[in-house]
Amino acid sequence: MPPEDLTSAAPEAAATLISGLSAYGRLYGLPNSPEQVQGILSTLLRLYQPGLPPALVDTVAQRVLDGLTPDDLKNAIVDRASSALAKAAHRWQQRLSDQAKGVLTSYVQRYRPTVTPDTLSSMATSVIPLVSDGAITRSEAMGLVSLVVQTFDLDSAMRGVVPAGLAAVVNTTAAALAQTLAIVLDQKPMAEAVSETVSAYVEKYAPGLVNIGSDLIATALSAVLKNQVDFDLDLQLAAIDQALLIEQVSFQLNVLRESPPPSKPAWAIAAQVNAAVEQYRQDQGDRVDITAGLVSDDGLSISSPFTSTRRLSDRLPSDSPALE
């Protein structure tokens, strides 16, 4: 089915999503949270049409959700195909939510943080890019955050108790990712400064830029590090920490599509970022391809600072078991 047909929530796509959601509800029950329901719809569509752009997946899911009625679910035809789709969506959701809660359990037990509803939501948001494989849309991410916050047993984690359902995922991998999460949370002030700077740069100098590349984020990070006193920061980041920060900022800007309002220092530093980008363009001349930016394995830019589509390398120790 062509993407242009899906943008208007074509009957075939809408019927498939409604049947899949109805099957999901009959098998597992439907959540009360609109964020979680939209996340399920997005997962159903992403699995049904794997090649669709994430933004389009979310748009169609939102339109189906907006027009959904109880009678639609009640009267939907649930067959073997829709049941299989619902089961696949549930497996994907359950796997990621369990992994996220496993990491949070390990983090809480090791670091004993003071947790409020706001900080738990922030922690859950930060852990999603650590456990996902990159194939996730905004609606799916927001739905997962809502599910994790709703179902995470903070009291048990604080008491050192691991719920039976999480026993398989609270392991050495979760412990390693809990340590990574601690670094991510410590770096949040710097990540916010970088996000503000990138947002200021895009708004003023590149308003047509849709996907924020890792090279551009790295350029903004370098500029912020040189001017961090303007943000009341005092940090020195190792290379691996910079990679984590870049991934988190990329997740915020590209997946969650949350652009923080730039502060006054961010506007000033955005001008420095623009100067660096323009200098790079002049140095490269006709060889610049702003649609194919990449970051080399050692973190050095080998093409345009505008875009970078290569995923950051896996940060898990080589002897850690892979997440299933």
Side-chain angles (χ1 to χ4, degrees):
M1 182 181 300
E4 58 268 22
D5 291 339
L6 284 169
T7 56
S8 59
E12 179 188 345
T16 298
L17 291 185
I18 293 171
S19 294
L21 187 64
S22 180
Y24 190 104
R26 298 178 195 187
L27 288 167
Y28 312 107
L30 289 178
N32 293 323
S33 162
E35 293 85 1
Q36 292 179 36
V37 174
Q38 185 171 344
I40 294 169
L41 284 169
S42 289
T43 302
L44 291 169
L45 181 55
R46 182 174 55 79
L47 295 174
Y48 176 62
Q49 292 282 336
L52 291 180
L56 182 55
V57 170
D58 284 346
T59 297
V60 174
Q62 179 67 64
R63 290 182 179 178
V64 171
L65 180 61
D66 289 344
L68 193 64
T69 68
D71 284 342
D72 290 334
L73 294 175
K74 180 180 178 181
N75 298 328
I77 298 175
V78 175
D79 54 17
R80 184 173 298 178
S82 56
S83 294
L85 188 62
K87 290 176 182 178
H90 183 262
R91 282 195 302 271
W92 180 88
Q93 180 191 59
Q94 195 68 46
R95 176 175 60 85
L96 284 189
S97 64
D98 282 353
Q99 288 173 358
K101 287 185 287 187
V103 174
L104 290 176
T105 297
S106 296
Y107 173 80
V108 168
Q109 291 180 352
R110 177 171 180 177
Y111 296 98
R112 317 296 294 181
T114 299
V115 181
T116 66
D118 286 342
T119 58
L120 179 57
S121 179
S122 177
M123 289 162 55
T125 302
S126 296
V127 83
I128 295 301
L130 301 182
V131 299
S132 69
D133 59 2
I136 190 169
T137 73
R138 181 183 189 277
S139 293
E140 289 177 309
M142 298 302 291
L144 279 171
V145 169
S146 174
L147 176 62
V148 169
V149 169
Q150 177 185 328
T151 58
F152 179 58
D153 190 344
L154 177 61
D155 290 339
S156 292
M158 294 296 288
R159 296 198 311 270
V161 176
V162 177
L166 297 180
V169 295
V170 179
N171 50 26
T172 55
T173 298
L177 288 176
Q179 185 175 359
T180 301
L181 177 62
I183 297 171
V184 168
L185 296 176
D186 284 344
Q187 294 179 170
K188 267 200 174 295
M190 176 65 75
E192 291 172 0
V194 173
S195 295
E196 289 179 18
T197 300
V198 173
S199 296
Y201 168 81
V202 171
E203 183 174 338
K204 186 170 183 178
Y205 301 103
L209 191 61
V210 177
N211 295 315
I212 309 299
S214 296
D215 288 349
L216 178 56
I217 298 171
T219 301
L221 172 58
S222 178
V224 170
L225 281 170
K226 294 175 183 176
N227 299 272
Q228 56 182 299
V229 65
D230 295 335
F231 291 94
D232 294 325
L233 299 172
D234 184 16
L235 297 172
Q236 293 295 326
L237 304 182
I240 186 66
D241 297 343
Q242 293 185 37
L244 282 172
L245 189 146
I246 290 169
E247 182 179 65
Q248 289 285 323
V249 172
S250 178
F251 180 75
Q252 178 188 12
L253 297 177
N254 291 319
V255 177
L256 299 183
R257 299 196 292 279
E258 295 178 349
S259 299
S263 60
K264 185 175 180 180
W267 286 112
I269 296 175
Q272 299 178 30
V273 172
N274 182 60
V277 171
E278 290 303 315
Q279 184 62 54
Y280 184 89
R281 291 167 65 95
Q282 291 178 19
D283 292 344
Q284 297 299 310
D286 294 337
R287 291 175 293 167
V288 172
D289 178 3
I290 66 172
T291 67
L294 291 174
V295 175
S296 60
D297 290 338
D298 62 0
L300 299 177
S301 173
I302 58 174
S303 58
S304 166
F306 270 102
T307 59
S308 180
T309 55
R310 180 179 296 168
R311 292 191 70 238
L312 295 172
S313 59
D314 189 4
R315 296 168 309 284
L316 292 179
S318 58
D319 58 349
S320 295
L323 292 174
E324 297 296 332

